[in-house]
Amino acid sequence: WLVTKKDTVLQWYSNGHRTIESSSSSNEPYEARWYRRTNNKEDPWITLHDHSPSVPAGEVLYGENKFGNIHASNVLPIHNGANVWIRLSEEGRKVQEGCLAAREGRDGWKLVRRVGPGHMWHPATDQLIGSDVYGSPEGPNSSAAWSIPFNTMDYDEFMFTTGDCQKWLVTKKDAVLQWYSNGDRQIESSSISEKPYEARWYRRTNNKEDPWITLRDHGTSVPAGEVLYGENKFGNVHASNVLPAYNGANVYVRLSADANAVQGPCRDAAAGKAGWKLVRRVGPGFKWHPATDQLLGTDEYGTPAGPQAAEAFSVKFDNQDFKEFMFSTGDCSKWLIATKESVLDWYSNKDRQIEASSISDQPYKARWYRRTNNKEDPWITLRDHSTSVPAGEVLYGEDNFGNVHASNVLPAYNGANVYIRS
């Protein structure tokens, strides 16, 4: 007999070293050379020692496809056949606890997307924005793929898991929804680490199979069956090494307790509290506000329909008596408050004071733009303009301006809103 891990068995290898945790020949871990090849129906060959000496020695413990020869005759008639047992170890149970909580709808997690145990990744091509809708939501064990809309949900964390909860990771929405190519992204915790660490992922603008979300760096995770997310029905070993063996894969989202506290001022504004009034909105698209009044409040368009509206609108506010602006994403994950004087001046890459924001409850400065002949201005950002554009931290722009200034923030964070108060 021998005991080994599921991960040790369910990869692809040809005379490759695999770890045995314990066996009838050793109570200490050791390695043996086994076979599990993609086109060999008799595989895997599980043996007490390396395959080549185990066959004549009658130490083969598993084979398939009614294979005979001495692989069978040297062991099955003599030792009363062969059995296979499985179990969830105590260590495995502890590792899976976070994922199991998500599966049961605990700890604030909501299941939003699933792909079943097949050979292709999610049918979605929205690059995890959450706009694609298909299939019938049937829980974390459904055999068919499905997705519900989550681009308008308030959340700041993703959990990506295999369907059996053996492999999972938690990461921030901001870590996922930027553009990167083999770039380091932070994982908050996972089935292999309780502490934050980084892994190299892909989310490229013209690759419909992206993002690739993996437990470790992409290059090592693909052959190891550690891919936890992909799109566009991508197959290859990216899918076959994980989906069939681990009951597909699931995507959960939640709003963490920390984020919920940070979003308080913005949520008050969205609810019309604390004196705030919504005066301008752009929906989750790829262009900034249609306005060209440089935030003077003279432009009027669209139909005012609240802070979640799909279409852009603006009400006249140049005749209103107010002292402060709040600029926010539609999901309230990013926001800042600045005085009217700080915004309505002329400046080019100059420091402007921010009174408070989603990243600081103390005043600080950031470099913004509001130039006289640039209709897309002002550019209002959480940090300096140059760092905020690639980081998806632009909170205001005009003149239907697109580019990454818009695509890095509006689709993923439910558009953007402008509030004023006296």
Side-chain angles (χ1 to χ4, degrees), residues 280 282 286-296 299 301 327 343 345-349 368-381 385 389 394-403 405-406 410 418:
R280 188 166 288 177
V282 64
F286 293 89
K287 293 182 180 179
W288 273 104
H289 297 277
T292 56
D293 62 1
Q294 297 196 299
L295 264 176
L296 290 176
D299 285 2
Y301 50 84
F327 303 93
V343 174
D345 198 355
W346 302 114
Y347 40 88
S348 179
N349 199 30
W368 295 348
Y369 287 86
R370 187 171 182 267
R371 298 157 293 187
T372 54
N373 296 315
N374 291 70
K375 290 187 176 181
E376 69 272 20
D377 291 8
W379 287 116
I380 308 297
T381 52
H385 182 87
V389 171
V394 179
L395 295 180
Y396 190 86
E398 294 192 3
D399 197 28
N400 289 314
F401 197 93
N403 210 327
H405 298 62
L410 298 180
V418 181

Side-chain angles (χ1 to χ4, degrees), residues 96-115:
Q96 292 182 20
E97 177 53 35
C99 175
L100 292 172
R103 279 183 53 162
E104 295 166 6
R106 294 186 280 122
D107 296 342
W109 291 110
K110 182 176 180 64
L111 178 61
V112 294
R113 185 167 288 177
R114 168 155 175 84
V115 64

Side-chain angles (χ1 to χ4, degrees), residues 311-382:
E311 302 299 325
F313 69 82
S314 180
V315 299
K316 188 178 175 67
F317 59 91
D318 63 321
N319 56 355
Q320 304 248 355
D321 182 18
F322 69 97
K323 296 180 180 178
E324 290 183 316
F325 281 102
M326 177 186 286
F327 303 93
S328 80
T329 54
D331 67 353
C332 275
S333 63
K334 304 180 184 191
W335 57 270
L336 67 82
I337 295 171
T339 65
K340 182 177 181 180
E341 288 75 17
S342 186
V343 174
L344 298 182
D345 198 355
W346 302 114
Y347 40 88
S348 179
N349 199 30
K350 296 296 184 183
D351 281 328
R352 313 304 295 171
Q353 179 142 316
I354 296 169
E355 301 303 318
S357 77
S358 52
I359 62 172
S360 176
D361 58 2
Q362 298 297 316
Y364 66 100
K365 292 182 177 181
R367 290 182 176 272
W368 295 348
Y369 287 86
R370 187 171 182 267
R371 298 157 293 187
T372 54
N373 296 315
N374 291 70
K375 290 187 176 181
E376 69 272 20
D377 291 8
W379 287 116
I380 308 297
T381 52
L382 265 179

Side-chain angles (χ1 to χ4, degrees), residues 39-197:
N39 296 314
N40 292 69
K41 291 187 177 180
E42 68 272 21
D43 291 8
W45 287 117
I46 308 297
T47 52
L48 263 179
H49 300 95
D50 291 348
H51 182 85
S52 56
S54 288
V55 172
E59 296 180 339
V60 178
L61 295 179
Y62 189 85
E64 293 189 3
N65 199 33
K66 295 183 176 180
F67 197 90
N69 210 327
I70 58 172
H71 297 63
S73 62
N74 277 8
V75 61
L76 298 180
I78 303 167
H79 298 283
N80 192 23
N83 298 319
V84 180
W85 282 273
I86 60 173
R87 73 174 177 183
L88 180 61
S89 67
E90 188 59 33
E91 179 186 1
R93 192 181 304 278
K94 289 178 181 177
V95 165
Q96 292 182 20
E97 177 53 35
C99 175
L100 292 172
R103 279 183 53 162
E104 295 166 6
R106 294 186 280 122
D107 296 342
W109 291 110
K110 182 176 180 64
L111 178 61
V112 294
R113 185 167 288 177
R114 168 155 175 84
V115 64
H119 293 272
M120 292 189 293
W121 273 104
H122 297 275
T125 56
D126 63 1
Q127 297 196 299
L128 264 175
I129 293 297
S131 56
D132 283 3
V133 181
Y134 51 85
S136 299
E138 294 179 357
N141 289 303
S142 64
S143 58
W146 57 267
S147 181
I148 62 173
F150 55 93
N151 57 323
T152 59
M153 290 183 186
D154 292 336
Y155 72 97
D156 71 309
E157 289 185 324
F158 281 103
M159 179 186 284
F160 301 94
T161 80
T162 54
D164 66 353
C165 275
Q166 184 163 331
K167 304 180 184 189
W168 58 269
L169 67 82
V170 174
T171 186
K172 295 294 185 183
K173 181 179 181 180
D174 279 353
V176 175
L177 298 182
Q178 302 304 325
W179 303 113
Y180 40 88
S181 179
N182 201 32
D184 283 322
R185 314 306 293 171
Q186 180 149 311
I187 296 170
E188 301 302 317
S189 62
S190 77
S191 51
I192 62 172
S193 176
E194 295 178 351
K195 296 181 179 180
Y197 65 100

